[in-house]
Amino acid sequence: MRVDQLSWSEAKGWGGGAPADANLVLFFGSRPALQSGTPYRQLRERFPRAHILGCSGGGQILNDDVSDDEIAGAALRFDHTRVRLASEPAPAAERSRACGEAIGKALAADDLAGIFVLSDGLHVNGSELVAGVTGALGRKVPVTGGLAGDGARFQETLVGADCEPRNHMVAAVGFYGNAIRIGHGSAGGWDEFGPHRRITRSQGNVLFELDGKPALDLYERYLGEDSEGLPGTALLFPLRIHDPTRPDHDIVRTVLAVDRAERSMTFAGDMPQGWVSQLMRGNFDRLAAGAAKAARQACTGHNAQIALLVSCIGRRLLMGQQTMDELEAASAEIGAEVPRLGFYSYGEISPHSASGLCELHNQTMTVTAISEGGG
């Protein structure tokens, strides 16, 4: 397996010395940089036989750096591993499970070793999407990836799968054979605060009431003057939720949109009625430690040849200039010599560290470590 890193700027186009025989190219960039289609067309001309997969984000990760202007990419040449790409339109959140099922069925095979998913970040219910994929593939196939982002703008997200990036799309690449090794890890590092509140009214990923009161009222009370910046400012206060019958199995959810008339909030994944929620806030040291933990989980037992990092945009907005701390913490576990590529997302996909089941996470750092041995 060979990995060559790439970067794109408007002034210089694509840089990097990757040979044309790559069979998979991954890229992550800002929505303004991707929406012209020029970066994709240049990649297609340079790598005529490769599958090309990428999406927009809230900052691109290339090793220990994060950039808003350049596009980060990598060209992968596998020696003993087959790759296959599948994509589906995602017209509305209600079609998320069906979309996931279609992706899973398209990639299913006896020798499927794992898949990496990129999804529209605003028009998809991420937990339903993952449920559809895992329902089609079963629980043994690891599913990782993330929801495309648009920084703190929340206007439009883009996914490209052997085509120019567009909205309302979900795509995934499948890795096949005995040679590929895929490790995964996911961790947060947020602190809970305030009382536990029960989700008393919700529908899918739309939350209406907590303890019988409008959910948006709670956030506006905590945010004060910053509530005018919703939904972006709510990224600093995600919700930890759990089934009261399984208190040790918690998931973090982050806000994608608010409806001030309905006093409701739309989250990246399901908000099951009857579950218990608690507000969270960030601690820089714990967030960096969470990134290190995710990397350590992903790399345990094998030497990664490339690591794909998907971190939540809320972490970056909170950490600001200290964002590099979590990248450096992950790098220390992965190894500085291993290429690292990724983006800041609206949701992260990875098996849960407690149950092993693939789920949508929010406000985490998720790491996918890939290596290839002999065929």
Side-chain angles (χ1 to χ4, degrees), residues 285-328:
D285 291 340
R286 280 175 45 79
L287 291 174
K293 180 180 179 180
R296 189 162 54 250
Q297 291 172 353
C299 295
T300 297
H302 75 121
N303 296 318
Q305 292 171 284
I306 184 172
L308 305 178
L309 280 59
V310 182
S311 186
C312 185
I313 183 62
R315 298 169 69 93
R316 187 183 180 201
L317 292 178
L318 178 65
M319 298 182 80
Q321 292 183 345
Q322 292 183 259
T323 298
M324 303 304 176
D325 291 354
E326 75 164 0
L327 301 182
E328 292 172 358

Side-chain angles (χ1 to χ4, degrees), residues 255-277:
V255 179
L256 293 181
V258 300
D259 186 327
R260 296 185 187 277
E262 293 285 338
R263 310 304 295 165
S264 67
M265 309 181 76
T266 300
F267 287 76
D270 279 346
M271 301 292 289
Q273 201 160 291
W275 281 35
V276 175
S277 70

Side-chain angles (χ1 to χ4, degrees), residues 53-291:
L53 174 66
C55 71
S56 62
Q60 294 64 255
I61 299 169
L62 193 63
N63 299 325
D64 287 340
D65 293 326
V66 58
S67 170
D68 291 307
D69 301 320
E70 295 186 350
I71 301 172
L76 284 63
R77 172 60 179 155
F78 293 100
D79 298 314
H80 308 288
T81 301
R82 294 182 297 110
V83 295
R84 185 189 303 169
L85 198 65
S87 63
E88 286 289 326
E94 294 77 15
R95 295 286 300 161
S96 298
R97 185 180 288 259
C99 180
E101 289 176 352
I103 292 285
K105 290 177 180 178
L107 295 177
D110 291 341
D111 62 343
L112 177 62
I115 71 173
F116 185 77
V117 181
L118 296 176
S119 169
D120 184 297
L122 293 174
H123 303 100
V124 168
N125 180 328
S127 53
E128 283 290 287
L129 173 71
V130 174
V133 173
T134 56
L137 295 178
R139 296 183 174 184
K140 293 184 178 180
V141 178
V143 180
T144 63
L147 308 187
D150 185 29
R153 294 180 291 269
F154 292 91
Q155 295 175 359
E156 184 180 39
T157 64
L158 306 175
V159 174
D162 284 345
C163 65
E164 295 180 15
R166 61 190 65 172
N167 61 12
H168 294 279
M169 175 179 279
V170 177
V173 58
F175 302 93
Y176 301 83
N178 297 323
I180 192 79
R181 177 71 188 273
I182 301 173
H184 48 77
S186 180
W190 296 75
D191 294 324
E192 300 89 359
F193 73 99
H196 290 84
R197 293 177 169 86
R198 189 173 296 273
I199 299 174
T200 49
R201 188 161 75 94
S202 63
Q203 183 175 352
N205 61 334
V206 181
L207 174 64
F208 292 96
E209 292 181 359
L210 293 169
D211 286 344
K213 299 178 181 179
L216 188 55
D217 289 1
L218 170 68
Y219 268 85
E220 288 184 342
R221 184 164 69 251
Y222 275 98
L223 290 172
E225 294 180 356
D226 290 336
S227 64
E228 293 300 317
L230 286 168
T233 48
L235 290 168
L236 305 181
F237 296 95
L239 277 182
R240 171 186 176 269
I241 64 172
H242 69 270
D243 184 338
T245 66
R246 301 174 65 196
D248 59 336
H249 183 89
D250 59 272
I251 302 171
V252 180
R253 288 285 181 259
T254 195
V255 179
L256 293 181
V258 300
D259 186 327
R260 296 185 187 277
E262 293 285 338
R263 310 304 295 165
S264 67
M265 309 181 76
T266 300
F267 287 76
D270 279 346
M271 301 292 289
Q273 201 160 291
W275 281 35
V276 175
S277 70
Q278 190 175 19
L279 280 165
M280 306 181 78
R281 57 190 168 199
N283 174 298
F284 288 4
D285 291 340
R286 280 175 45 79
L287 291 174

